[in-house]
Amino acid sequence: MTERLYYHDPYLREFDADVVEQTTHEGKIALVLDRTAFYPTSGGQPFDVGTLSDVRVLDVIDTDDGRILHIVDRAPEGARVAGTIDWARRFDHMQQHTGQHVLSAAFDRLLSARTESFHLGAEYSTIDLARELSPAEIAWGEAEANRVVWEDRPVAIRFAGPDEIARLPLRKEPKREGTLRLIDVQDFDLSACGGTHVARTGAIGLIAVAATERFRGGSRITFLCGGRALAGYRALRDAVAGSVRALSVLPAELPAAIERLQADGKDLRRQIKDFQAKLAAQEADALADAADTAGETRRVIASLPGWDAAGLKLIASRIVERPGYLAILVGDPSPAPIVVARSAGLPHDSGALLRQLVERHGGKGGGRPELAQGGGITSAPADVLQSARDLLRT
Ligand SMILES: [Zn+2]
């Protein structure tokens, strides 16, 4: 059994201890001390990092038999070590964890919404509530939790045996038996917990709900406390400032301004499509009028700079609406699209023609005898057109 110094003094950052065992855990060196201030991952709270003398602590693990394994980067010299925990990381965890007690208690007391689970992540923390709450209910719980933060109530640690436990109004049925460690937020919340907490609710600073989603028939609440709430506010402030500058509106007007932009964009895309169709028709008519005549067939073999695959298809389709036409059109710039089409009744196979052209000029594609399309042509358009003429000559 390792003596857990953080049980009685979560503010202890430095301590001395004896190494009572050196072992390995998943291929890494693990130390067991007679006592420790390092918190091992448990109850939704992640482990502490820090140093044991000049050795770095990379992970801290709670074993089933009550020992705490300190995973270290190398073995220390001697059996006595001076431990120092990374206080910034630990204090952040204490803010998030104590904030969770207060937030869970607020939802429980006001709305009878029980907390099913808690996760303290690297960026966000979440609680999963047993029932789904409305945005107004969530705001109510959030406001109540912050009232308790600002009242700066004491957060006491005490221990109780089974008889006393049976009589106490614990928020949650304890999972363990025997003597329990209780966290008592004065006149607001009493929970069995082995984690580390701040000494007064004021040290939580602020509890901000960052997001809510439906989860397993209840609500998953994502929240930020203390330093993380400030960091989250700064990130939002910077994002909003950039958007406000770009759109020249007030922050509150952003959603409406974005909706307007989206509607404008949709209108413009529709207009462009209409113009493109009209232009394609004109282009098709001009090309058809100027077509070469080869026996019974009129041929349009041309490169059309600036037209994309959809535009080329529009033009080719319009050309071959006339009887007796074969159209081979290449776009520009590289890698270019290509379309081959022919009027109904002509013997040419557009698909076969296109495959031969793309094979020679680095693209791919295919299609039916009436119409085929491809892309990725890397040769100069003039070379592709020459190949097309050569193929039709044979
Ligand atoms: Zn706790």
Side-chain angles (χ1 to χ4, degrees):
M1 291 282 279
T2 308
E3 188 193 345
R4 295 163 194 248
L5 300 170
Y6 59 84
Y7 266 0
H8 298 275
D9 184 6
Y11 283 82
L12 185 68
R13 311 176 195 195
E14 292 178 352
F15 65 101
D16 292 314
D18 288 324
V19 178
V20 295
E21 186 187 345
Q22 180 177 320
T23 177
T24 57
H25 179 84
E26 292 174 356
K28 289 183 178 137
I29 301 168
L31 305 178
V32 180
L33 310 178
D34 61 340
R35 51 191 222 137
T36 189
F38 278 89
Y39 185 79
T41 300
S42 59
Q45 181 181 332
F47 59 92
D48 290 331
V49 296
T51 53
L52 289 172
S53 298
D54 56 351
V55 170
R56 290 200 318 136
V57 176
L58 310 170
D59 193 358
V60 189
I61 297 163
D62 210 344
T63 65
D64 292 336
D65 58 9
R67 292 175 309 159
I68 293 176
L69 299 182
H70 301 74
I71 310 299
V72 289
D73 62 345
R74 61 197 164 82
E77 278 180 31
R80 187 118 185 114
V81 286
T84 305
I85 64 169
D86 177 336
W87 182 246
R89 175 180 162 98
R90 158 65 85 73
F91 185 70
D92 168 54
H93 291 168
M94 285 162 63
Q95 281 188 318
Q96 312 311 313
H97 194 149
T98 318
Q100 180 263 316
H101 280 242
V102 174
L103 189 61
S104 286
F107 286 127
D108 203 285
R109 293 167 68 104
L110 293 180
L111 298 153
S112 302
R114 213 174 52 244
T115 294
E116 301 281 11
S117 65
F118 161 53
H119 175 71
L120 202 175
E123 287 177 52
Y124 293 95
S125 302
T126 56
I127 49 173
D128 295 332
L129 300 179
R131 68 181 190 84
E132 206 179 323
L133 299 184
S134 69
E137 287 175 320
I138 291 164
W140 190 24
E142 183 185 38
E144 174 72 351
N146 280 291
R147 181 179 69 82
V148 171
V149 169
W150 300 329
E151 284 174 1
D152 196 26
R153 300 187 187 203
V155 178
I157 301 164
R158 52 196 189 92
F159 293 82
D163 293 345
E164 196 189 348
I165 294 288
R167 282 181 275 113
L168 288 172
L170 295 187
R171 172 159 51 81
K172 218 175 164 180
E173 192 71 30
K175 285 181 196 150
R176 296 173 195 229
E177 292 177 356
T179 298
L180 292 180
R181 180 172 181 264
L182 302 179
I183 300 304
D184 187 353
V185 179
Q186 192 181 66
D187 299 330
F188 194 71
D189 186 47
L190 188 62
S191 296
C193 183
T196 58
H197 309 81
V198 294
R200 300 188 71 92
T201 58
I204 299 167
L206 184 77
I207 303 173
V209 172
T212 316
E213 63 191 302
R214 288 161 77 177
F215 184 75
R216 290 186 186 163
S219 291
R220 169 165 284 183
I221 310 280
T222 301
F223 65 96
L224 301 166
C225 299
R228 290 191 189 193
L230 178 61
Y233 174 81
R234 285 173 173 163
L236 288 178
R237 179 193 62 197
D238 292 348
V240 168
S243 310
V244 160
R245 258 198 311 278
L247 298 178
S248 300
V249 294
L250 296 171
E253 296 165 353
L254 273 177
I258 290 167
E259 273 175 31
R260 269 200 309 280
L261 277 179
Q262 285 174 328
D264 289 352
K266 210 172 151 190
D267 282 351
L268 283 173
R269 280 194 296 279
R270 200 171 43 231
Q271 279 183 28
I272 288 169
K273 216 176 152 192
D274 290 348
F275 283 134
Q276 200 186 29
K278 281 179 194 155
L279 198 57
Q282 288 178 7
E283 191 86 32
D285 292 348
L287 288 165
D289 288 348
D292 305 326
T293 304
E296 299 289 292
T297 314
R298 301 205 70 194
R299 292 173 179 174
V300 177
I301 300 173
S303 79
L304 300 176
W307 287 93
D308 62 6
L312 291 187
K313 195 178 163 192
L314 275 176
I315 296 169
S317 302
R318 174 130 176 150
I319 291 171
V320 302
E321 279 172 12
R322 300 162 170 78
Y325 274 86
L326 172 70
I328 301 175
L329 306 177
V330 183
D332 197 15
S334 177
I338 179 168
V339 173
V340 180
R342 60 123 167 104
S343 305
L346 285 189
H348 308 85
D349 183 342
S350 303
L353 268 172
L354 182 121
R355 276 191 296 279
Q356 285 173 290
L357 289 171
V358 295
E359 264 167 36
R360 288 185 193 186
H361 297 286
K364 56 182 181 183
R368 296 167 289 115
E370 306 83 56
L371 182 110
Q373 52 188 331
I377 299 277
T378 48
S379 302
D383 296 342
V384 183
L385 301 181
Q386 189 54 52
S387 292
R389 289 192 195 94
D390 294 345
L391 279 172
L392 291 169
R393 200 167 292 133
T394 53

